């Protein structure tokens, strides 16, 4: 819920949380890609538990935002898609983590 | 800090999923243990001492390659491909060098007889057992514990302890300890492998790539 008060003490408000990454499926995709150099489409479907169509849809959005780099190639005459976070994507994920941590740390008990 | 810890756990989870879910590592170690178990009995099957060594060395040297080929043609098409980043790669390379060196030394010791290298002391009873256990811990426990640490796979510690324990029983029961341990590890590996094949069937290639 966005706050209308001015930002005091550098506390992040809800509107600085990256909503693109905040969506649970995209968060899982970004987290899995953040901890590795790159992974292929099949590996991500296995790790995330998402359906192929669902994963494709989220990856398109991440690619459109410049967070994801998709490389399509053929291996032994079979289509193969490798995915990795761009530098912008990694920075965005790190910012997201920082902001979420601040929001949660400052949450009143 | 919480996020850092969680990401490390996630990375370790991805690593374990990628490398150890298929049971092939257990099969590999089970085969090694069984080779050690069967070697003393090859003579009864008509093999000469030279052929005993040839057969044993061949299996021990072929096993790592069989493992790599199985990973490439069975595991990878079912699990997918992932490239890990710098620190993990660096650890893995150092470990590969260590394992290769250890494999060569271990094979030579196995072929030419460990007892020819250990100083002989007049020991009996518990002291003899402890000496053998110490040798076992040095040959099996220590290296496999290091492997467990570098590869984040605690089962290597179990392999190491089973190897050390089997080694400690050698003077009393021969290679039977390795046979029992080998069976346990091999059966575990086969069960994991079968489960892996069921859980991760091969996918139709056109569908597996989605609609990106």
């Amino acid at each position: 819920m966005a706050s209308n008060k001015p930002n005091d003490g550098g506390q992040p408000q809800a509107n600085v949380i990256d909503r693109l990454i905040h969506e649970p499926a995209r968060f899982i995709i970004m987290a899995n890609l953040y901890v590795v150099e790159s992974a292929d489409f099949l590996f991500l479907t296995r790790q995330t538990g998402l359906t192929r169509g669902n994963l494709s849809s989220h990856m398109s959005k991440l690619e459109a935002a410049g967070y994801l780099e998709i490389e399509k190639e053929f291996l032994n005459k079979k289509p193969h898609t490798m995915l990795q976070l761009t530098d912008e994507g990694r920075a965005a994920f790190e910012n997201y983590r920082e902001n979420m941590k601040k929001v949660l740390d400052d949450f009143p008990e | 800090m919480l996020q850092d810890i969680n990401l490390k756990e996630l990375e370790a989870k991805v690593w374990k999923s990628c490398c150890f879910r298929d049971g092939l590592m257990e099969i590999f170690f089970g085969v090694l243990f069984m080779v050690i178990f069967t070697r003393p009995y090859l003579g009864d099957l008509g093999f000469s001492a030279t052929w005993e060594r040839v057969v044993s060395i061949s299996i021990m040297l072929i096993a790592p390659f069989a493992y790599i080929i199985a990973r490439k043609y069975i595991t990878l098409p079912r699990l997918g491909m992932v490239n890990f980043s710098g620190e993990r790669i660096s650890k893995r390379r150092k470990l590969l060098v260590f394992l290769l060196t250890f494999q060569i030394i271990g094979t030579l010791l196995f072929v030419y007889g460990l007892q020819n290298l250990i100083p002989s002391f007049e020991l009996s009873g518990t002291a003899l057992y402890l000496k053998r256990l110490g040798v076992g811990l040095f040959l099996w426990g220590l290296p496999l514990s290091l492997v467990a640490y570098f590869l984040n796979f605690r089962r290597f510690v179990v392999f190491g302890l089973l190897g050390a324990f089997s080694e400690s029983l050698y003077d009393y029961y021969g290679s039977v300890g390795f046979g029992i341990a080998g069976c346990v590890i091999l059966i575990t590996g086969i069960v994991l492998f079968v489960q892996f094949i069921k859980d991760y069937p091969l996918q139709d290639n056109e569908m597996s790539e989605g609609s990106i």
Side-chain angles (χ1 to χ4, degrees), chain B residues 101-119:
Chain B
T101 309
F102 187 77
Q103 176 87 357
I104 293 168
I105 293 173
T107 305
L108 290 171
L109 284 175
F110 171 67
V111 166
Y112 291 104
L114 179 63
Q115 59 273 12
N116 296 327
L117 297 171
I118 300 172

Side-chain angles (χ1 to χ4, degrees), chain A residues 31-32 34-43 46-47 52 56 59 72 78-82 97 101, chain B residues 1 3-4 7 10-11 14 17 77-83 85 200-201 203 205 207-212:
Chain A
N32 273 279
Y34 184 80
V35 296
V36 300
E37 186 71 30
S38 60
D40 70 0
F41 187 86
L42 176 59
F43 190 82
R46 299 297 197 196
Q47 282 299 113
R52 289 181 285 266
S56 291
M59 281 161 52
K72 302 193 87 172
K78 293 172 189 169
H80 184 245
T81 305
M82 286 298 287
R97 280 174 57 221
K101 189 175 183 304
Chain B
M1 185 59 82
Q3 278 72 11
D4 288 334
L7 285 179
L10 179 60
E11 197 269 351
V14 171
S17 290
R78 286 174 166 77
L79 207 55
M81 195 186 293
V82 59
N83 298 315
S85 53
Y200 297 97
Q203 296 190 346
N205 283 314
M207 291 176 69
S208 70
E209 292 300 310
S211 57
I212 301 174

Side-chain angles (χ1 to χ4, degrees), chain A residues 3-95:
Chain A
S3 167
N4 291 324
K5 292 182 183 174
N7 192 347
D8 57 334
Q11 292 180 10
Q13 297 175 6
N15 57 6
V16 302
I17 301 297
D18 189 332
R19 292 172 193 275
L20 189 66
I21 299 175
H22 193 60
E23 200 283 331
R26 288 195 287 272
F27 174 74
I28 296 286
I29 294 166
M30 294 285 287
N32 273 279
L33 287 174
Y34 184 80
V35 296
V36 300
E37 186 71 30
S38 60
D40 70 0
F41 187 86
L42 176 59
F43 190 82
L44 276 180
T45 56
R46 299 297 197 196
Q47 282 299 113
T48 61
L50 296 169
T51 63
R52 289 181 285 266
N54 208 358
L55 183 59
S56 291
S57 166
H58 288 300
M59 281 161 52
S60 296
K61 289 176 183 158
L62 290 170
E63 189 188 24
Y67 291 172
L68 197 61
E69 191 179 302
I70 298 173
E71 191 181 315
K72 302 193 87 172
E73 57 185 355
F74 280 88
L75 280 183
N76 301 322
K77 297 181 185 176
K78 293 172 189 169
H80 184 245
T81 305
M82 286 298 287
L83 306 129
Q84 63 181 32
L85 292 184
T86 60
D87 291 339
E88 190 183 338
R90 287 187 183 273
F93 187 72
E94 282 161 15
N95 285 338

Side-chain angles (χ1 to χ4, degrees), chain B residues 52-207:
Chain B
E52 270 182 41
R53 287 185 179 150
V54 169
V55 168
S56 303
I57 293 176
S58 302
I59 296 174
M60 289 184 99
L61 292 178
I62 287 169
F65 294 104
Y67 171 80
I68 291 168
I69 290 169
R71 290 273 308 165
K72 185 177 177 182
Y73 290 103
I74 299 174
T75 304
L76 223 61
R78 286 174 166 77
L79 207 55
M81 195 186 293
V82 59
N83 298 315
F84 289 90
S85 53
E87 190 187 332
R88 181 69 76 177
I89 295 290
S90 168
K91 268 188 184 176
R92 206 165 63 171
R93 276 192 190 137
K94 286 177 192 167
L95 196 58
L96 275 173
V97 170
F98 167 78
L99 284 176
L100 204 62
T101 309
F102 187 77
Q103 176 87 357
I104 293 168
I105 293 173
T107 305
L108 290 171
L109 284 175
F110 171 67
V111 166
Y112 291 104
L114 179 63
Q115 59 273 12
N116 296 327
L117 297 171
I118 300 172
S120 56
F121 298 104
E122 289 297 323
L123 294 172
S124 60
T126 309
L128 179 65
Y129 175 79
L130 288 175
K131 174 193 126 181
R132 200 79 198 188
L133 182 62
V135 168
L137 285 170
F138 178 75
L139 284 182
W140 293 94
L142 179 63
L144 288 176
S145 296
L146 285 173
V147 172
Y149 171 73
F150 280 107
L151 293 188
N152 283 125
F153 187 52
R154 282 180 221 159
R155 231 171 278 163
F156 277 112
V157 177
V158 176
F159 300 159
L161 291 175
L162 283 173
F165 186 64
S166 303
E167 190 72 47
S168 72
L169 297 177
Y170 204 90
D171 288 332
Y172 305 97
Y173 303 108
S175 63
V176 169
F178 285 102
I180 296 171
C183 280
V184 169
I185 298 171
L186 197 54
I187 290 169
T188 304
I190 291 169
V191 167
L192 286 171
F193 181 71
V194 168
Q195 192 62 49
F196 172 76
I197 297 290
K198 280 170 60 178
D199 289 344
Y200 297 97
L202 280 172
Q203 296 190 346
D204 176 17
N205 283 314
E206 285 176 27
M207 291 176 69

